[in-house]
Amino acid sequence: MSAGLSNLQIRVISAVVLGVAVLALTWFGALPFRLLAAVIAGAIFYEWTHMARAGRASRLGFVPEALMLIFVGVLIAGLSALTTAAILALLVAIAVIGVAMRGAGQWDAAGLAYAGLSGFALAFLRDSDWSGLAAMLFLFAVVWATDIFAYFVGKAVGGPKLAPAISPGKTRSGALGGAVFGVAAGVLVAVVLGLPNLATLALVALVLSIVAQAGDLFESWIKRRHGAKDSSAIIPGHGGVMDRVDGLVAAAAALYLIGWMTGSADHPAQGLFPV
């Protein structure tokens, strides 16, 4: 805490600055947003390996970092979805083989897969068209509303814990409240954007809200597994990038898969969000 600012004030300022930056890059889409997705993927990988290694160097040296840099370059280059996914799978396979040969744990390989899939889903969901913008606004609304209202409803109502062994602060009432408001926020965005199939999008919003909360719990488990309170201290007042995007990237991966089934691998948003 510095310059007389309270921790709450620092959190609010950081959230506003990051929110404006993310929304601006989301608006532009294409290369600017792919750069954002690449930065998020890189930050997730850094935080994951930093926690997993607990100050010790990887037995693979800088190979995991080199593999991540390759994927970041591929993501920025804007290759097709299937090509990008194939390259990511190859890089993860190299990491798996490498750690097996060196007798190391698989955390580096798992981190590469997690970070890579996170950046992949975000980049291809947004794409460069209006459907991609609608998809991202819908995703943001569902995930942010779920996160905010799960906290406030849980505080107000209390009750049984959702997963006390993983995240003692989360309650079942908060999870339910987050899901309700997440669906409401997603439907509201769909109405504002004039999207059809509101019933379908409400169901999708419910799935995304549940997946976002599962992603939050997964990241909490990772931190607990490695004895970390926060994934890092990159964001003032908020901890690390993983702490802020755990639910978002999980929901983004789910929305990408749903979009792929209704649209295409390269343009997953067009099937669900025809604008």
Side-chain angles (χ1 to χ4, degrees):
M1 182 179 326
S2 61
L5 294 176
S6 69
N7 187 61
L8 177 59
Q9 289 173 320
I10 293 173
R11 285 177 63 87
V12 170
I13 292 171
S14 296
V16 170
V17 171
L18 287 173
V20 170
V22 167
L23 288 174
L25 292 171
T26 301
W27 172 264
F28 287 113
L31 178 59
F33 191 82
R34 290 202 304 273
L35 288 170
L36 173 64
V39 168
I40 290 174
I44 288 173
F45 182 74
Y46 164 76
E47 292 177 351
W48 179 294
T49 55
H50 180 73
M51 288 189 293
R53 294 172 187 171
R56 300 186 300 273
S58 169
R59 292 190 181 184
L60 294 178
F62 290 104
V63 171
E65 284 78 4
L67 296 175
M68 189 66 217
L69 283 175
I70 292 172
F71 177 72
V72 164
V74 170
L75 197 62
I76 294 173
L79 303 178
S80 72
L82 293 181
T83 299
T84 303
I87 293 174
L88 176 60
L90 176 61
L91 296 175
V92 172
I94 292 173
V96 169
I97 294 170
V99 295
M101 292 176 62
R102 297 297 297 271
Q106 294 289 347
W107 284 104
D108 280 350
L112 179 61
Y114 179 71
L117 285 173
S118 299
F120 174 88
L122 289 171
F124 283 97
L125 265 179
R126 175 57 186 95
D127 199 19
S128 59
D129 55 22
W130 286 103
S131 291
L133 177 60
M136 291 306 303
L137 294 178
F138 179 84
L139 176 68
F140 289 153
V142 172
V143 174
W144 291 347
T146 295
D147 188 38
I148 292 169
F149 285 100
Y151 174 80
F152 284 110
V153 172
K155 285 289 186 182
V157 178
K161 300 299 183 180
L162 179 63
I166 299 175
S167 184
K170 292 180 173 59
T171 61
R172 296 177 188 176
S173 63
L176 179 59
V180 170
F181 281 98
V183 171
V187 171
L188 177 60
V189 167
V191 170
V192 171
L193 295 177
L195 297 172
N197 303 321
L198 292 182
T200 298
L201 291 178
L203 179 59
V204 171
L206 177 60
V207 172
L208 297 184
S209 180
I210 294 171
V211 172
Q213 296 188 64
D216 193 343
L217 287 174
F218 173 71
E219 197 251 355
S220 295
W221 176 77
I222 292 295
K223 290 190 296 185
R224 184 170 289 272
R225 172 67 174 74
H226 296 292
K229 181 179 183 297
D230 296 314
S231 57
S232 76
I234 291 177
I235 306 174
H238 287 271
V241 172
M242 284 180 67
D243 295 317
R244 294 301 92 208
V245 304
D246 47 10
L248 179 68
V249 297
L255 185 56
Y256 176 84
L257 289 174
I258 295 171
W260 189 354
M261 290 187 290
T262 60
S264 68
D266 287 313
H267 308 287
Q270 291 181 358
L272 281 173
F273 304 95
V275 295

